[in-house]
Amino acid sequence: MKQTILPGDVPEAWSAEALYNKALRYCENMHTAATDSWEHALWSGLCLELLARAALGNISPALLAEPQKWANLAHALGFPPFEAKFSPNSIGTAAVLMRLRTFLPDFDVELENFCVAHTGRRNEELHSGSMPYDGVNGSKWHGQFYRSAKVLLASMGYTLEDFIGAEHSAVAEKEVAAAMDAAAKSVLGDVDAHNKVWDAKEEKEREVLAARAGVWANREDGHRVKCPACGNPALVLGEPIGEPKRELDGDEISERQEHLPYLFQCVACGLKIAGLSRLSAVGLGDRYTKTQTYGASEYYAAVDPYEGYEDDNNEPF
């Protein structure tokens, strides 16, 4: 088959290399400003957004295109504009980060939430009269910022040292480790506090709560684990990563997919833990595999677009 219509080069505005280089420029300005200044934080927000767009564009520039107008997709792929006065639009930063979480297993919910909040302050700084970066010390966000950058850079074949140099990266690695350690210390304190409250309950109440937890912790709703505070059945919820693996066995189809944990909950003692770093600190950060089995008719059945809606009772009697 002969391809007769060929795209041109990816537009520079959506080129992963151009976005990376611009993020690099913003990062240089970030390190020029004092670490506790609002300028330092502002440049970091701008840098993080461009770095995220570079990482997504490196997977495919089409992923950056605003989907409501198909001409944006054509433009992202390198085709000339087909409309008069065409002005291409890309997706918002929150959508960029959500898509990255789908493609990059190490870009977990914890990092996505940090990036949304950090770049959101940048929007508030530039488009309102408030001053969200005033009084925000670098020590409060450096660890998560550099951990996010490491994951995004790794997806493009770069290291933190490639991006910010050996001197800055040596300090950044220590800040990442400190942030992880702080999360670990915090969550261990939470576990200890819930353990003391659990031990203080009367035996009859503990039995009722334990029975309720055993029913609630259904494997189909998440990954069943043992609570580190009270020892009762609890659940870890995770985000799917990678492509599901399917196997056919007679009339049944089994689907197995790896998940990366992001939340733990125990209904017996009330302990909740959010974020991969905090989960890892108590031994709950391992990936797990979820298996679902379908009948062939169920698996290949047409999707009902109105599933979940109530019946329309507006017809005349």
Side-chain angles (χ1 to χ4, degrees), residues 25-291:
R25 173 189 286 188
Y26 288 166
C27 190
E28 290 171 355
N29 286 350
M30 167 190 162
H31 286 126
T32 300
T35 55
D36 288 338
S37 68
W38 67 268
E39 295 97 333
H40 176 77
L42 173 60
W43 284 115
S44 74
L46 293 167
C47 168
L48 188 59
E49 177 183 345
L50 270 295
L51 197 59
R53 291 183 181 275
L56 188 61
N58 187 55
I59 299 170
S60 172
L63 293 170
L64 293 170
E66 207 291 317
Q68 292 185 358
K69 199 172 185 179
W70 77 270
N72 292 322
L73 176 59
H75 177 77
L77 293 173
F79 290 101
F82 304 110
E83 301 177 5
K85 299 181 181 179
F86 173 69
S87 179
N89 292 317
S90 60
I91 58 175
T93 305
V96 168
L97 298 168
M98 182 180 67
R99 294 183 181 189
L100 283 169
R101 181 162 55 85
T102 301
F103 286 101
L104 307 181
D106 292 333
F107 192 75
D108 54 45
V109 175
E110 187 177 2
L111 292 186
E112 181 194 7
N113 289 340
F114 165 77
C115 292
V116 168
H118 199 63
T119 56
R121 291 192 191 97
R122 185 269 299 166
N123 283 339
E124 188 179 351
E125 176 73 35
L126 297 178
H127 302 295
S128 76
S130 60
M131 299 178 181
Y133 288 124
D134 282 17
V136 180
N137 295 333
S139 60
K140 294 181 179 179
W141 55 266
H142 274 175
Q144 290 288 64
F145 172 85
Y146 287 119
R147 191 161 80 90
S148 302
K150 283 181 67 175
V151 173
L152 296 173
L153 289 164
S155 74
M156 297 182 282
Y158 293 111
T159 64
L160 200 54
E161 184 175 341
D162 294 330
F163 191 60
I164 60 177
E167 184 177 351
H168 285 304
S169 66
V171 177
E173 292 287 3
K174 292 179 181 178
E175 290 178 308
V176 171
M180 300 287 282
D181 187 53
K185 289 179 180 177
S186 172
V187 74
L188 291 175
D190 291 344
V191 170
D192 184 58
H194 279 78
N195 175 255
K196 289 178 180 178
V197 172
W198 175 259
D199 288 342
K201 293 181 183 295
E202 294 184 1
E203 184 176 353
K204 186 175 182 180
E205 183 181 3
R206 289 202 301 266
E207 289 176 357
V208 171
L209 291 171
R212 182 187 302 170
V215 174
W216 177 83
N218 190 316
R219 288 182 182 273
E220 293 185 5
D221 295 329
H223 179 52
R224 191 178 174 110
V225 295
K226 185 178 179 180
C227 176
C230 66
N232 289 298
L235 284 179
V236 165
L237 302 180
E239 288 284 326
I241 56 174
E243 187 176 351
K245 298 178 181 178
R246 302 177 182 89
E247 293 181 359
L248 177 63
D249 183 12
D251 292 333
E252 289 188 337
I253 297 172
S254 63
E255 191 172 75
R256 303 174 73 245
Q257 188 169 26
E258 270 198 326
H259 285 64
L260 190 67
Y262 70 86
L263 179 68
F264 165 86
Q265 184 174 4
C266 174
V267 296
C269 68
L271 178 64
K272 288 185 180 180
I273 303 172
L276 184 61
S277 62
R278 290 165 58 84
L279 289 169
S280 298
V282 293
L284 297 172
D286 293 334
R287 299 181 183 188
Y288 65 90
T289 300
K290 185 174 181 179
T291 303

